[in-house]
Amino acid sequence: MSDIASLPTGSRQRQGSNIGQPMTRRDGILKVTGSATYAADNNPEGLMHAVLATATIARGKVTRLDVEAARAHPGVVEVMTPENRPPLATDPDEKTNPFAFRLDALQNDGVRYAGQPIAVVVAKTLEAAVEGAALLRPSYETEAARVDLEGESFVAEIVGPGAPGRAASGDFDAAFASAAKHIEATYDTPPQYHNAMEPHSIVVRWEGDSLSIDMPTQGLAMAVGRTAELFGISPEKIHIRSPFLGGGFGSKGLAAGPQVLGILAAKLVGAPVKLVLTRQQMYGPVGHRGQTRQTVKLGMGEDGRLAAIEHHTLTSTSRFDDFLEPASNVTHSLYAAPAIRTTHAGSRIDIGTPMFMRAPGEAPGSAALESAIDEAAFAAGMDPLDFRLLNYAEVEPISGKPFSSKALRECYERGAARFGWSKRPQAPRSMRDGEGRLLGWGVGTATFPAIMFQAEARAVIRADGSGLMEIGAHDMGQGAWTALHQIAADGLGLSMDEVEFRSGSSDLPNAGIAGGSGHTATAGTALHGAGEDVIARLTELAVNDEASPLYGAGNVGVVARNGRLVRQDDESRGEPYAAILKRAGLAEIEGRGQSAADPAAQERYAMDAHGAVFAEVAVDPNLGQIRVTRLVGAFAAGRVINPRMVESQYYGGMIWGLSFALHEEAVHDKRTGRIMNANLAEYRVPVNADVPSLEAILVHEDDPHVNALGVKGVGEIGITGTVGAIANAIWHATGVRVRRFPIGLADLLGGTPDVSDKGV
Amino acid sequence: MNLFEYVRPASVAEAIAAAGEPNSAYLGAGTNLLDLMKGGALTPARLVDLTHLPDLGSIETLPDGSTRIGALVKNAALAHDTDFAKRFPVVAEALLSGASAQLRNAATVGGNLMQRTRCPYFTDTASACNKRQPGSGCDAIGGENRSHAVLGWSENCIAVHPSDFCVALTALGAIVEIEGTTGRREVPITEFFLLPGDTPEKETVLEAGEMIVAVRLPAEAAKLAANQRYLKVRERTSYAFALASAAAALTIENGAITEARLALGGVAPKPWRASEAEAALVGKAPGKEAFAAAAEAAFAEAKPSGDNAYKIELGKRVVARVLAMAAAGTPERMPALPASAFAPLPEGVVNV
Ligand SMILES: Cc1cc2nc3c(=O)[nH]c(=O)nc-3n(C[C@H](O)[C@H](O)[C@H](O)COP(=O)(O)OP(=O)(O)OC[C@H]3O[C@@H](n4cnc5c(N)ncnc54)[C@H](O)[C@@H]3O)c2cc1C
Ligand code: SF4
């Protein structure tokens, strides 16, 4: 049984459905009182501290490390380098499956990006380990590095986690050539790095050849699998606990090199080891969003109807592995056009391998596409929202499949009404606030696919009529402890207080991966299935038991209500779960549930969540400083399990969109390849004053096809649409179209008549 | 990374004696020093903790009408001292535009003056930096230098001084009170900071062991209280260093400027007093024309040190705007976003 305690139950007694209720986070009190145990909060007996030493060059090899000096430092126990690193059963450079990304685990003296781990110092105290790492003073053989997109590129056949790099419908070239109007524009998005509040960490204990691990992960089962493969031990011998993550956003989806190094270090010193990355060490070995240069070509008729769309993305990957930001693919589903072509190219540069980062592909892709659509609307002389409605995709443009559901029109409508969009003058530079600042309004369409992974869940009804639900799910802060518990309770026909919910541990049923905005759909569907299964078994007992008031009710049907099974045709006739189990002499009854995407439904339907984001920006006409004064997003993503959590996801996504539009950028020194702003003082993200007004509207949407619960995903969609909406609003405010993100005041200083007017 | 000795002196004299040892550093709140030590950019062998010293934590008005601020007064305490903020509103506004509430609650006056540049190559020990390691070179030149200096820089260092507080102090002609083994001395803030020249590692006139005990604002500075403002342009609405900032104080009599004070931040290796611009303003009627001329004068000598030519244009606009804001009068209340382009704007200061 899992040694992760279920969360203490608050008083949330509710009769009837828990799904749809805005429950507060069940882990909220633990978190605000500091009693939620994150991985790095674990301090097993005899713990030692491991600290990484990382490369300051981007390409070459380590020629010397002053291991003696580090070892001689009081408190240092061992220095792990490629020379003495314990062997691994699988080469970390071997691609055993498409999700096995190459890791840096001290397999050799090579350096392939700045920030790569080159040694691990283990000491009795954190301070000694830090000092030991500093004493290593590495020498290098340095090769010239490249960290931009100006070098050679290759055609990318596979992008993201295994999607085709090119797709087409219709004849783009012909359609573009014969279109009445053309837009062609290139947009640059920068490298962005993960900055979850909780840095990657691991606390490892080897118990013989078994492993006991505390580490934040978005994919417990995959982490177990990868660890088993690397260390050559069976998965049953590995137990990972991950009850809380301080944010994941894709960076904790797959086991990262530093976590593997923690396990190796524990093996080397024969003691429990804790390894926690510093903020700076997050910039390299744990994935990032690769930079892109995207060219969008739009051909349209005189009436503004799109005839041809081409979206080409050039993006970076590392020298040693492939993860190419699938930015062009957002164009598959957004706007209708008879001819669409999407392509990708990659460029190998001296960086850590890019990886999933909240809305991989969609975030930068929609930034470019939504900007280009706005440029097209203006060229067509149309309001940007009318233009989007004119080119509304009734079916998925590239495949021709109908959408399983699509309430985008209503999103546009409700968002626009709330925002006051109808008052928008078409010409740029035509609005001012009361004090003379330029105001601009922009819109962007949000979209994200409804993805599901495979999962299992276990449901139990106990002799006293209470329930237990188990699934190894992941709460990254998004509220899985709460939303999944709501689903679990409804699945058992009990209140949340009557159901113990266990999660966050690898010895529970596999919940798949908390990624792709698919966790609630995936884990929720498995829980729902487990509930159905156990209720069916209980029903089976009752309807076949002459002593039960439900005897023979199999045909009319039996439903679970508030801890009782009742006849569907007469809910007054029934009996409590406890009574059924008692008569049957059972201490408990168990059911199982599975979930996976339904291939038949996927074949028939395109499945996506949608939304519309409206932004207002104010720009100082003389100084160029920008502020997003209002953001309104309206989203439709199927059934809402917990509106409070969903709203938070939209808020977080939209704020990240703002961050993308105006702030985030890892700045490399082009000569050395090092990132010069690898800290939260200089890697800018928005602060409260940057987000004065934020609203999310939850648009109702029923989807009978995505899964039994009708749930799509809400985790990533908020960032899409928002970036473009803000860029478009800046254009509308200033008349300056900035095609490089993040947009800053220097971009606006020179470009407009007022702004360059020096009279002030 | 370094092992260091920690000393907690009981008096200023003890502190000075302790800091006389080579490679010692005074410790204020540590919001800057400790960060730099953790990153390995600074490796003092001895920290002399000033925060427990008595008598350096008060704000007093002296018999001559000047105001003396002890070196240990917290940034927030100074900015929120109602009497002080009334007499020197530009200083309060500059302080409140800096860092975050948490940092301001901790940071000391002495530490604010002595805070080091945010040049990323200074912080990154793998880079060449003349300031950190004299003679090693300057990797900011030819590197990432969008936020570097356009005034006062040298071929050896192009970094900017990051403080907001010091810009306001410079405009108002503050005096730095220094104590060392040879006794006390006073240095006007305009002479306290040094330009990099060939010795960018030497940032101030402080000699080994000398400490700042107080900063004094002369009585006549208070006379400018009616017309003074700070404006700070940055890439984020709050909690960001200045790309360009300016503090202005004016006396306007009978429709003409009789006295002008102007200092610039974020554009030079030290808080930059724009004396030519001040001279150009005196006798002029406050208005666009005079302010534009002053802006030109302030940046007459400016030249880009890298990819930062935009800062010259930006700096001029900041000067023109802050002068217009100062001319419009010190606001009754501190704006919710102090020194921000998004604080309430007096009528007519935006060029439309
Ligand atoms: C994230 C972040 C954002 C910031 N943003 C801003 C901003 O926008 N604007 C701004 O102006 N500042 C900003 N700061 C800087 C902040 O103002 C300084 O860190 C702070 O003022 C330093 O004060 P302290 O007491 O902590 O100094 P410490 O860190 O203790 O010391 C700084 C230096 O001063 C020396 N020193 C301290 N006291 C004395 C003394 N009495 N005599 C001689 N030397 C002394 C120390 O030896 C050290 O070299 C920011 C800082 C951070 C971390
Ligand atoms: S600009 Fe100055 S602080 Fe920056 S690297 Fe050059 S010498 Fe060092």
Side-chain angles (χ1 to χ4, degrees):
Chain A
M1 196 219 268
S2 171
D3 55 1
I4 295 221
S6 358
L7 295 179
T9 312
S11 52
R12 289 188 184 69
Q13 197 69 304
R14 226 202 97 74
Q15 300 298 314
S17 174
N18 296 291
I19 290 178
Q21 303 304 318
M23 271 100 178
T24 53
R25 281 177 171 71
R26 296 181 78 78
D27 45 346
I29 288 179
L30 290 182
K31 285 183 175 171
V32 298
T33 55
S35 35
T37 313
Y38 288 81
D41 294 331
N42 290 286
N43 296 298
E45 186 77 19
L47 181 73
M48 293 192 186
H49 297 266
V51 166
L52 297 183
T54 55
T56 53
I57 64 162
R59 189 178 192 185
K61 63 181 188 189
V62 179
T63 53
R64 204 185 106 79
L65 288 167
D66 198 346
V67 172
E68 289 321 307
R71 268 216 187 95
H73 187 75
V76 170
V77 172
E78 189 52 279
V79 178
M80 185 165 77
T81 69
E83 313 242 290
N84 65 345
R85 184 270 256 164
L88 287 170
T90 304
D91 182 349
D93 274 332
E94 194 182 322
K95 228 59 207 153
T96 48
N97 68 69
F99 278 91
F101 287 90
R102 299 194 166 102
L103 302 173
D104 293 286
L106 298 177
Q107 54 265 45
N108 54 48
D109 58 6
V111 175
R112 34 199 195 184
Y113 56 91
Q116 179 197 307
I118 53 173
V120 181
V121 177
V122 188
K124 294 198 179 118
T125 62
L126 176 61
E127 292 76 10
V130 169
E131 183 64 17
L135 288 169
L136 288 172
R137 299 191 205 293
S139 309
Y140 304 98
E141 210 173 275
T142 310
E143 290 175 53
R146 177 179 284 289
V147 288
D148 60 24
L149 293 175
E150 311 302 328
E152 278 176 33
S153 64
F154 60 91
V155 174
E157 298 296 350
I158 301 287
V159 293
R166 51 168 64 238
S169 68
D171 181 346
F172 171 79
D173 292 319
F176 188 68
S178 60
K181 289 186 174 164
H182 302 93
I183 290 287
E184 177 171 352
T186 298
Y187 305 88
D188 283 0
T189 68
Q192 299 171 343
Y193 277 73
H194 281 287
N195 275 292
M197 287 279 277
E198 178 202 30
H200 290 60
S201 56
I202 186 164
V203 176
V204 192
R205 252 175 315 161
W206 282 94
E207 287 151 5
D209 65 347
S210 293
L211 262 175
S212 172
I213 294 175
D214 295 285
M215 80 175 200
T217 173
Q218 298 172 245
L220 282 160
M222 285 183 81
V224 166
R226 185 78 162 127
T227 307
E229 166 188 283
L230 285 167
F231 288 86
I233 52 181
S234 83
E236 292 74 50
K237 297 200 160 171
I238 301 170
H239 183 193
I240 304 181
R241 289 165 299 270
S242 182
F244 307 108
L245 288 85
F249 309 112
S251 75
K252 293 166 185 160
L254 304 170
Q259 289 165 327
V260 175
L261 288 170
I263 306 174
L264 283 163
K267 182 148 212 173
L268 184 69
V269 298
V273 158
K274 179 190 290 189
L275 188 152
V276 183
L277 294 192
T278 63
R279 181 60 53 188
Q280 189 173 11
Q281 289 170 345
M282 298 280 291
Y283 289 71
V286 298
H288 70 281
R289 196 195 297 288
Q291 56 191 308
T292 73
R293 175 163 302 155
Q294 303 174 56
T295 303
V296 181
K297 292 185 192 170
L298 303 173
M300 55 188 168
E302 291 292 353
D303 60 352
R305 206 173 279 277
L306 288 168
I309 310 176
E310 184 183 60
H311 193 154
H312 175 71
T313 299
L314 168 64
T315 184
S316 57
T317 190
S318 67
R319 294 262 182 218
F320 55 96
D321 211 342
D322 294 309
F323 185 96
L324 293 129
E325 187 78 12
S328 301
N329 292 355
V330 72
T331 289
H332 294 172
S333 52
L334 270 183
Y335 298 103
I340 295 178
R341 184 161 73 200
T342 59
T343 53
H344 292 85
S347 186
R348 293 197 182 284
I349 57 177
D350 302 291
I351 53 171
T353 308
M355 198 50 58
F356 307 98
M357 183 158 167
R358 204 173 193 177
E362 283 79 9
S366 122
L369 180 63
E370 290 303 317
S371 298
I373 287 289
D374 218 62
E375 298 200 40
F378 188 66
M382 288 181 71
D383 172 85
L385 181 54
D386 291 343
F387 185 85
R388 283 168 172 82
L389 287 166
L390 177 72
N391 291 293
Y392 193 86
E394 301 292 351
V395 296
E396 188 184 50
I398 199 131
S399 65
K401 289 180 194 177
F403 289 100
S404 58
S405 60
K406 181 176 179 179
L408 176 57
R409 257 201 196 92
E410 200 177 343
C411 295
Y412 283 139
E413 225 166 83
R414 301 219 10 223
R418 179 76 196 151
F419 187 83
W421 182 262
S422 61
K423 297 196 199 75
R424 179 185 181 274
Q426 204 146 306
R429 292 184 73 78
S430 44
M431 295 195 299
R432 301 266 178 171
D433 72 7
E435 297 173 330
R437 294 181 196 89
L438 294 164
L439 289 183
W441 289 359
V443 62
T445 308
T447 186
F448 198 82
I451 295 170
M452 276 185 76
F453 301 95
Q454 294 184 3
E456 291 156 28
R458 175 171 174 262
V460 173
I461 293 175
R462 296 160 170 156
D464 64 357
S466 69
L468 166 69
M469 280 276 208
E470 292 186 331
I471 186 159
H474 316 87
D475 195 319
M476 308 178 284
Q478 86 279 37
W481 274 116
T482 311
L484 294 180
H485 197 162
Q486 288 174 257
I487 296 170
D490 278 11
L492 295 179
L494 293 168
S495 73
M496 287 171 79
D497 293 347
E498 292 162 326
V499 177
E500 184 185 345
F501 178 66
R502 292 190 190 140
S503 183
S505 176
S506 69
D507 55 3
L508 298 172
N510 178 0
I513 194 160
S517 300
H519 203 41
T520 307
T522 303
T525 303
L527 289 164
H528 177 79
E532 272 188 342
D533 188 45
V534 75
I535 293 296
R537 285 168 201 263
L538 198 61
T539 304
E540 194 62 21
L541 286 180
V543 298
N544 292 317
D545 181 352
E546 287 180 31
S548 169
L550 295 169
Y551 178 65
N555 290 339
V556 296
V558 168
V559 290
R561 288 269 187 276
N562 303 329
R564 297 162 58 86
L565 290 185
V566 295
R567 284 177 66 108
Q568 197 149 21
D569 59 350
D570 178 1
E571 295 200 4
S572 69
R573 291 165 67 194
E575 62 175 332
Y577 302 161
I580 303 167
L581 289 174
K582 188 167 183 204
R583 267 199 319 278
L586 292 176
E588 60 174 44
I589 185 164
E590 179 186 313
R592 297 268 172 176
Q594 279 86 33
S595 70
D598 170 3
Q602 280 191 314
E603 190 51 43
R604 266 199 310 276
Y605 299 104
M607 301 175 178
D608 300 276
H610 295 93
V613 181
F614 297 83
E616 175 182 270
V617 302
V619 178
D620 188 294
N622 310 127
L623 308 172
Q625 199 174 319
I626 306 163
R627 193 178 192 209
V628 178
T629 44
R630 273 196 305 145
L631 273 179
V632 174
F635 302 93
R639 190 170 190 191
V640 170
I641 302 296
N642 182 323
R644 188 191 303 268
M645 308 289 148
V646 168
E647 192 177 58
S648 291
Q649 287 300 303
Y650 293 151
Y651 285 164
M654 288 159 73
I655 293 169
W656 199 321
L658 192 165
S659 191
F660 191 125
L662 302 184
H663 297 296
E664 283 186 63
E665 175 176 25
V667 178
H668 285 270
D669 182 288
K670 294 258 182 350
R671 301 160 301 184
T672 62
R674 275 201 303 282
I675 295 173
M676 299 312 297
N677 60 341
N679 61 69
L680 278 175
E682 268 90 10
Y683 183 93
R684 267 194 344 265
V685 295
V687 296
N688 277 327
D690 292 307
V691 195
S693 168
L694 182 65
E695 280 181 72
I697 299 167
L698 278 55
V699 173
H700 183 89
E701 187 178 69
D702 291 315
D703 193 315
H705 306 295
V706 278
N707 49 53
L709 291 169
V711 170
K712 294 180 180 173
V714 298
E716 292 162 276
I717 187 170
I719 187 171
T720 76
T722 306
V723 190
I726 292 170
N728 297 338
I730 290 171
W731 170 81
H732 189 236
T734 62
V736 181
R737 175 60 69 177
V738 183
R739 300 193 181 86
R740 184 193 167 282
F741 294 94
I743 300 173
L745 62 89
D747 298 310
L748 303 178
L749 269 188
T752 66
D754 272 10
V755 165
S756 56
D757 176 350
K758 294 196 193 108
V760 189
Chain B
M1 262 295 154
N2 211 348
L3 290 179
F4 58 86
E5 192 189 351
Y6 172 84
V7 184
R8 187 188 281 185
S11 67
V12 170
E14 261 183 60
I16 291 165
E21 295 292 312
N23 202 13
S24 297
Y26 287 121
L27 177 66
T31 61
N32 183 229
L33 180 58
L34 297 187
D35 264 6
L36 291 168
M37 287 174 67
K38 285 186 214 163
L42 295 180
T43 54
R46 170 182 271 194
L47 283 191
V48 181
D49 186 351
L50 302 180
T51 57
H52 298 270
L53 290 182
D55 308 330
L56 297 179
S58 56
I59 308 163
E60 359 160 32
T61 308
L62 303 181
D64 69 353
S66 64
T67 295
R68 190 167 181 277
I69 311 156
L72 290 180
V73 172
K74 306 289 189 192
N75 287 196
L78 182 58
H80 293 306
D81 184 297
T82 346
D83 183 50
F84 178 84
K86 218 184 218 109
R87 300 179 65 211
F88 309 104
V90 70
V91 180
E93 187 166 27
L95 276 169
L96 293 176
S97 75
S100 64
Q102 293 89 335
L103 283 158
R104 294 192 298 267
N105 284 340
T108 64
V109 159
N112 193 314
L113 261 68
M114 296 298 291
Q115 65 173 298
R116 310 300 299 272
T117 181
R118 309 302 290 196
C119 170
Y121 298 94
F122 173 72
T123 347
D124 173 36
T125 54
S127 296
C129 170
N130 287 326
K131 206 185 256 309
R132 181 169 28 78
Q133 210 178 351
S136 63
C138 170
D139 274 350
I141 295 175
E144 276 305 321
N145 47 31
R146 281 180 279 183
S147 52
H148 284 68
V150 293
L151 284 165
W153 54 273
S154 77
E155 292 301 333
N156 297 302
C157 179
I158 61 172
V160 299
H161 193 275
S163 171
D164 294 301
F165 177 46
C166 293
V167 180
L169 293 178
T170 299
L172 296 188
I175 312 283
V176 184
E177 294 183 17
I178 299 168
E179 198 156 318
T181 38
T182 54
R184 256 188 193 231
R185 58 182 180 131
E186 296 187 349
V187 179
I189 195 164
T190 42
E191 288 159 33
F192 179 77
F193 293 104
L194 304 175
L195 286 178
D198 296 333
T199 52
E201 72 281 7
K202 184 126 182 64
E203 296 176 346
T204 68
V205 298
L206 286 190
E207 297 297 340
E210 276 190 321
M211 69 177 272
I212 298 170
V213 288
V215 173
R216 219 171 58 233
L217 282 162
E220 70 263 23
K223 292 187 199 136
L224 296 149
N227 290 88
Q228 52 181 262
R229 288 306 295 271
Y230 187 65
L231 174 63
K232 175 181 179 185
V233 174
R234 50 208 132 156
E235 293 281 26
R236 184 155 72 179
T237 309
S238 176
Y239 200 19
F241 286 94
L243 287 177
S245 71
L250 301 171
T251 321
I252 302 166
E253 282 164 23
N254 305 322
I257 298 167
T258 52
E259 189 177 1
R261 303 292 188 84
L262 181 67
L264 314 177
V267 290
K270 63 176 204 173
W272 192 262
R273 183 79 178 257
S275 314
E276 288 79 7
E278 292 176 351
L281 285 164
V282 174
K284 301 276 157 52
K288 278 188 182 175
E289 210 176 310
F291 300 153
E296 289 300 329
F299 285 88
E301 304 291 315
K303 53 182 194 307
S305 58
D307 301 327
N308 55 2
Y310 78 94
K311 277 189 141 186
I312 299 175
E313 182 57 31
L314 180 64
K316 290 180 192 172
R317 296 178 192 189
V318 168
V319 167
R321 169 75 65 84
V322 79
L323 289 169
M325 288 163 60
T330 305
E332 199 75 3
R333 298 165 57 100
M334 182 67 68
L337 294 170
S340 168
F342 296 101
L345 284 170
E347 211 169 308
V349 304
V350 169
N351 182 37
V352 291

